[in-house]
Amino acid sequence: MEGLPRATRSRNVLIGPDTWDDAGVYRISPRLALVQTVDFITPVVNDPYDYGRIAAANSLSDVYAMGGKPVTALSIVGFPEGGDITILREMMRGGGIALREAGVALLGGHSVRDREIKFGFAVTGEVHPKRVIANSGAKRGDLLVLTKPLGIGILATALKRRLLPDATLRTATRQMAETNRAAAEAMRAASVSAATDITGFGLLGHALNIARASKKTIRIWSRVVPLLPGVLEFAAQGVVPGGLGANRSYLEPETRYDEGVPEPLRAALVDPQTSGGLLIAVGPKRVDGLMRRLTRSGVRGEVVGEVLARGPRLIEVTA
Ligand code: CO
Ligand code: CO
């Protein structure tokens, strides 16, 4: 967002571009604020229907990460001239079904000719202005809960290189197509401090956004971070996406790793995710309640770290 002209400041802009948050929030009445976001992705799997579902889940995620409830969506499509129209139709069908399951109304959209396929949605949600879950609310002593295992970027790279077993592809596809709706409902009911979703900057990159906005240090307990099957093996063979190295260099100055954190695990912690889980900061007295609610709604949450007073580095990774 840097370099964009500053929009007119309004006291109704509750969340703007300066806090590295997942979506913007605009108050339209004392009881109602809009949560707005846009996201689109290139294909991560070969099946167009699955890709459509994943694109939708991915686009809804930023609204869930703010504590909002998505309400409407507009599609954004890039599709090659003369491309197979059944692919387009399947993409749209997958996206439409995922939105319908989430209770979101598709109002329209826009498509352009593009050499590479792209698909996603601009999503509008609603939230009570006092119940926005921003990046800036993490408190010292909070615990961090992650709601989906990591490694999607590494597995997608393995898929492109034809190294991915079918069973793992199915697991990864299912995970990406799963929206963060249930996790978000559990989070809203549990009164948490801060939250974001894990996408292109990986676990550590998105944790850094919370650390910065909250002016705290975040410690990740690397050994307990859940990973998808095969991720460490592929990472050890150098099967990693291009964005991973960029994430690592970007995070380097802010991160301190214990010596015992093995190299492939370091890679997994900065692996770019598509439609990743929520990372939730929650007070120690509330964490059990949150975990119970997550389990009840079929979400496997894991406590992966803690929030500390601000130290010399914003991210610490323990072995
Ligand atoms: Co996000
Ligand atoms: Co986003």
Side-chain angles (χ1 to χ4, degrees):
M1 295 306 253
E2 263 160 72
L4 287 182
R6 272 292 161 86
T8 313
R9 273 291 163 211
S10 156
R11 50 188 208 87
N12 290 321
V13 175
L14 303 184
I15 304 281
D18 334 303
T19 46
W20 311 280
D21 266 293
D22 297 291
V25 181
Y26 188 88
R27 179 173 51 207
I28 51 174
S29 84
R31 288 204 196 148
L32 182 63
L34 299 179
V35 185
Q36 295 195 289
T37 175
V38 56
D39 214 325
F40 54 92
I41 54 173
T42 55
V44 276
V45 293
N46 298 323
D47 184 283
Y49 173 81
D50 287 338
Y51 167 51
R53 290 187 64 98
I54 292 166
N58 184 65
S59 296
L60 294 172
S61 185
D62 280 329
V63 174
Y64 290 128
M66 299 304 295
K69 204 164 88 55
V71 180
T72 62
L74 300 165
S75 65
I76 299 158
V77 181
F79 203 76
E81 179 136 39
D84 179 355
I85 217 73
T86 58
I87 292 178
L88 179 61
R89 210 175 293 140
E90 280 299 284
M91 276 162 52
M92 301 293 284
R93 189 170 73 87
I97 287 176
L99 291 180
R100 200 168 61 210
E101 284 172 5
V104 174
L106 180 61
L107 299 184
H110 185 68
S111 58
V112 293
R113 297 259 174 243
D114 197 335
R115 287 197 359 226
E116 195 178 22
I117 296 178
K118 299 185 182 77
F119 189 34
F121 297 89
V123 182
T124 299
E126 56 178 31
V127 68
H128 190 288
K130 296 220 157 77
R131 306 212 60 192
V132 176
I133 303 173
N135 280 351
S136 58
K139 294 177 190 63
R140 181 177 151 200
D142 279 355
L143 294 166
L144 292 164
V145 175
L146 177 66
T147 66
K148 285 183 186 179
L150 304 178
I152 287 292
I154 290 168
L155 297 185
T157 308
L159 174 66
K160 282 190 192 128
R161 298 190 195 171
R162 301 173 190 275
L163 298 169
L164 194 67
D166 283 346
T168 314
L169 172 61
R170 280 195 296 274
T171 304
T173 302
R174 207 181 314 123
Q175 170 168 319
M176 285 188 280
E178 177 100 48
T179 69
N180 283 322
R181 180 188 190 176
E185 281 169 5
M187 164 173 97
R188 282 200 301 269
S191 311
V192 305
S193 314
T196 190
D197 60 336
I198 308 303
T199 52
F201 300 119
L203 174 64
L204 298 190
H206 292 279
L208 179 64
N209 288 342
I210 291 184
R212 271 192 183 143
S214 303
K215 301 186 173 69
K216 300 285 182 293
T217 283
I218 281 179
R219 178 184 283 158
I220 299 291
W221 310 325
S222 69
R223 202 191 303 243
V224 297
V225 173
L227 302 177
L228 285 159
V231 167
L232 291 179
E233 291 77 3
F234 286 123
Q237 296 159 33
V239 180
V240 298
L244 190 147
N247 282 351
R248 187 174 266 191
S249 341
Y250 172 76
L251 285 156
E252 193 95 42
E254 299 294 357
T255 311
R256 197 190 67 79
Y257 289 93
D258 277 357
E259 262 171 45
V261 185
E263 172 52 38
L265 183 51
R266 294 185 190 206
L269 295 177
V270 297
D271 180 43
Q273 305 296 285
T274 299
S275 188
L278 299 180
L279 180 69
I280 306 167
V282 57
K285 291 196 180 116
R286 298 208 154 119
V287 70
D288 286 344
L290 172 64
M291 296 303 277
R292 253 198 316 275
R293 285 195 158 90
L294 287 173
T295 308
R296 220 183 289 145
S297 34
V299 179
R300 265 196 311 146
E302 205 74 59
V303 181
V304 298
E306 61 192 317
V307 179
L308 312 173
R310 186 173 173 151
R313 303 283 177 91
L314 290 175
I315 302 286
E316 287 180 11
V317 182
T318 64

